[in-house]
Amino acid sequence: MAVELAGGQCRLRHFSCELGLLSRPDGSATFLQGDTSVLAGLYGPAEAKVSKELPDRAALEVLLRPKVGLPGVLERSREQLLRQTCEAVVLGVLHPRTAISLVLQVLSDAGSLLSCCLNAACMALLDAGLPLATLFCGVTCALQPDGTILLDPTARQEQEARAILTFAIASSERKVLMATTKGSCSVEEMQQCLAAAQRAATTIFQFYRDSVCRRYSKS
Amino acid sequence: MAVERGTAAERGTPAETLVGQVVLPGDLLLLPAHYDEDAEGERLRLSAGAAPLGRLLCGPGLKRSGAGLLVTTCGLLRHRPGGGGAYWVDSQQKRYVPVKGDHVIGIVTAKAGDVFRLDVGGSEPASLSYLAFEGATKRNRPNVQVGDLIYGQFVVANKDMEPEMVCIDSSGKSSGMGIIGQDGFLFKVSLGLIRKLLAPKCEIIQELSQLYPFELVIGMNGRIWVKAKTVQQTLIIVNILEACEYMTGEQRKQALAKLSGN
């Protein structure tokens, strides 16, 4: 049986982020979760090619570059998940016929890569000043063979786990924007992982708030 | 399992308490109850509370949602009490979005018949008619080439239409707008620094003017054009303005003191 996390305690790795470190993109951020780090750059709202422009809202494009090698099928599927999450949050109707490009570069991968990409994407959107309806964060849960839930697993823990679930959670009422699963788990276990992820999301949103406050306190 | 519904900021906090603090997208700001009435004020107020007259202005970074304002960009919340009041979010951005009435510096990229296409740093090139200059007629065309810099203002700038610029104001006078002359140096800074420079009695401009005489054109799209007597003086002023984004007031005064000592 799955064991509950004791009283709201979240065992996430140490995380840190840096905003506005690249000079060319309109918004940039790097997010570190333990040893996993991702660099995100955002360009937009910029001129869109006629073939790609949408008449009523902005066309969002995500590019994920792995640390070594060329982007493959795994990167393409992750790009689609990121794009769907960002499209749900960005108020694209305020910028019709424009293109918003988000480029993510994996700097190091030590587990929980997709949630690190989600967090870096949200910080880059904040840095660029694009209109957002809500913030979002990514949390990865690993379901051990004995049923315990581990949040923010390392690469070793991911390999030993029975199932890995990644959730994108919005800041307004902790709604779920995206859920993806690798492996097999029961419906109850998924609900428990989701509840644990929603509790962990509070810590991550508080961290976003602190980072932005620190940035604005310098000016 | 009950999940906590988010922090207090997300459930809704009164707008007055957050003025001057950092707000994030998704935060809900509650307005005092008297703003819920229709703006015409057709309902008679029987209570003794004093309601400010006029409409409340919801500025950039905020969106009306139900009984309050939803924050859409991160930044500091500002409030102006005059004339019904206005709330807006002061955010640091690099990308410019055309707004009607803004004075900007555009670079001519093409001449298409009677209209010039200018790059203003937004998502679309702006158009400028050749008749929109002071004293321009069909026979007396302005001498504009591709690559020239033009200082003008937007008359049409919304999300649905291509932006249009003019170099005359409503009475037909140029009032400082038009083609920017030869030489000089054009560079780009963030929009937050532009707003700081355009604030009345800006210290940075006053301190720089003590250093060397120079000409300065500031565009709301993040572009600044500087021209001083020599190339070296121009580059010094450019470097100081670019560094002003990161330097505090003290560091700037030290840098200027070092330069004027030389």
Side-chain angles (χ1 to χ4, degrees):
Chain A
M1 298 310 294
V3 173
E4 275 297 7
L5 282 182
Q9 177 195 8
C10 300
R11 282 169 302 205
L12 298 170
R13 291 180 286 183
H14 171 74
F15 38 74
S16 66
C17 85
E18 202 182 332
L19 290 170
L21 61 160
L22 298 174
S23 60
R24 282 191 165 247
D26 301 320
S28 56
T30 180
F31 202 89
L32 284 90
Q33 271 178 228
D35 287 326
T36 308
S37 69
V38 174
L39 175 63
L42 189 97
Y43 299 84
E47 189 149 11
K49 287 192 206 157
V50 182
S51 56
K52 289 200 183 153
E53 71 175 9
L54 297 168
D56 58 340
R57 55 179 207 276
L60 185 67
E61 179 193 37
V62 178
L63 294 164
L64 177 61
R65 302 258 176 264
K67 185 177 172 190
V68 285
L70 291 170
V73 176
L74 184 60
E75 279 76 36
R76 291 275 170 266
S77 72
R78 285 188 171 149
E79 282 169 12
Q80 288 307 312
L81 293 170
L82 287 160
R83 196 180 67 80
Q84 281 157 13
T85 313
C86 293
E87 276 203 334
V89 155
V90 171
L91 294 170
V93 289
L94 295 176
H95 299 288
R97 300 181 325 279
T98 62
I100 300 175
S101 305
L102 179 63
V103 181
L104 294 143
Q105 171 68 55
V106 176
L107 298 173
S108 65
D109 182 6
S112 312
L113 184 63
L114 185 56
S115 55
C116 195
C117 290
L118 282 163
N119 293 331
C122 186
M123 294 254 87
L125 284 167
L126 272 183
D127 186 46
L130 280 176
L132 304 175
T134 169
L135 291 176
F136 63 91
C137 75
V139 185
T140 305
C141 304
L143 205 53
Q144 304 285 75
D146 62 354
T148 38
I149 301 173
L150 272 179
L151 287 179
D152 198 18
T154 61
R156 179 95 181 270
Q157 288 165 344
E158 278 188 348
Q159 271 175 345
E160 296 166 349
R162 170 162 50 102
I164 301 168
L165 300 92
T166 306
F167 300 103
I169 307 214
S171 66
S172 59
E173 295 172 15
R174 304 289 178 266
K175 288 194 182 147
V176 179
L177 293 172
M178 185 271 293
T180 183
T181 314
K182 182 176 160 192
S184 63
C185 63
S186 71
V187 176
E188 294 82 26
E189 284 166 342
M190 185 181 183
Q191 296 287 350
Q192 282 161 354
C193 286
L194 181 55
Q198 282 173 323
R199 279 196 295 270
T202 312
T203 318
I204 302 182
F205 289 132
Q206 189 54 45
F207 173 70
Y208 284 177
R209 198 170 283 273
D210 294 338
S211 308
V212 174
C213 285
R214 206 172 49 221
R215 182 170 182 232
Y216 278 90
S217 68
K218 279 187 205 160
S219 52
Chain B
M1 280 151 280
V3 177
E4 57 178 86
R5 301 300 271 176
T7 63
E10 290 139 22
R11 275 190 294 265
T13 41
E16 302 89 44
T17 57
L18 287 176
V19 173
Q21 292 183 29
V22 172
V23 287
L24 290 180
D27 290 353
L28 193 63
L29 304 174
L30 299 172
L31 297 170
H34 46 247
Y35 286 123
D36 283 345
E37 296 178 6
D38 34 341
E40 277 75 39
E42 286 169 24
R43 280 183 240 161
L44 282 176
R45 304 206 76 245
L46 297 176
S47 63
L53 297 169
R55 294 172 183 242
L56 178 72
L57 198 64
C58 175
L62 295 171
K63 203 168 172 251
R64 271 298 316 236
S65 117
L69 299 174
L70 184 70
V71 179
T72 58
T73 53
C74 73
L76 298 163
L77 185 67
R78 303 276 188 218
H79 175 58
R80 187 194 70 208
Y87 283 101
W88 73 94
V89 177
D90 204 354
S91 62
Q92 290 172 358
Q93 276 177 22
K94 283 197 228 173
R95 190 91 200 172
Y96 177 67
V97 173
V99 170
K100 183 174 168 181
D102 269 2
H103 287 77
V104 296
I105 299 180
I107 305 174
V108 180
T109 54
K111 283 206 274 197
D114 293 339
V115 152
F116 305 115
R117 292 249 168 269
L118 286 98
D119 163 41
V120 290
S123 59
E124 271 182 306
S127 70
L128 170 64
S129 163
Y130 75 96
L131 289 172
F133 290 85
E134 186 176 6
T137 59
K138 284 192 188 161
R139 302 227 179 143
N140 180 17
R141 289 174 177 246
N143 184 15
V144 174
Q145 306 303 325
V146 172
D148 279 354
L149 298 177
I150 304 230
Y151 182 64
Q153 65 175 346
F154 285 114
V155 287
V156 171
N158 53 46
K159 63 184 172 77
D160 301 309
M161 295 166 64
E162 178 196 53
E164 290 176 28
M165 278 177 62
V166 290
C167 288
I168 49 175
D169 59 13
S170 47
S171 59
K173 300 273 186 288
S174 70
S175 59
M177 295 186 274
I179 309 168
I180 295 178
Q182 297 294 317
D183 303 329
F185 192 94
L186 179 78
F187 61 104
K188 199 167 179 319
V189 293
S190 78
L191 305 186
L193 180 61
I194 297 282
R195 284 197 294 265
K196 227 194 305 186
L197 290 171
L198 285 173
K201 295 200 188 60
C202 173
E203 287 181 350
I204 306 174
I205 309 256
Q206 282 173 347
E207 286 169 15
L208 276 177
S209 56
Q210 315 267 327
L211 199 58
Y212 312 119
F214 61 92
E215 281 180 70
L216 183 70
V217 179
I218 302 179
M220 297 280 294
N221 53 345
R223 292 180 181 164
I224 304 181
W225 180 86
V226 179
K227 181 176 168 186
K229 280 212 194 102
T230 67
V231 173
Q232 195 189 22
Q233 288 179 359
T234 310
L235 290 174
I236 289 173
I237 296 173
V238 165
N239 284 331
I240 293 178
L241 283 171
E242 277 182 338
C244 276
E245 288 212 57
Y246 311 107
M247 285 202 294
T248 60
E250 294 308 314
Q251 290 168 329
R252 193 180 62 235
K253 288 189 174 72
Q254 280 173 12
L256 286 171
K258 237 192 309 188
L259 282 167
S260 49
N262 283 354

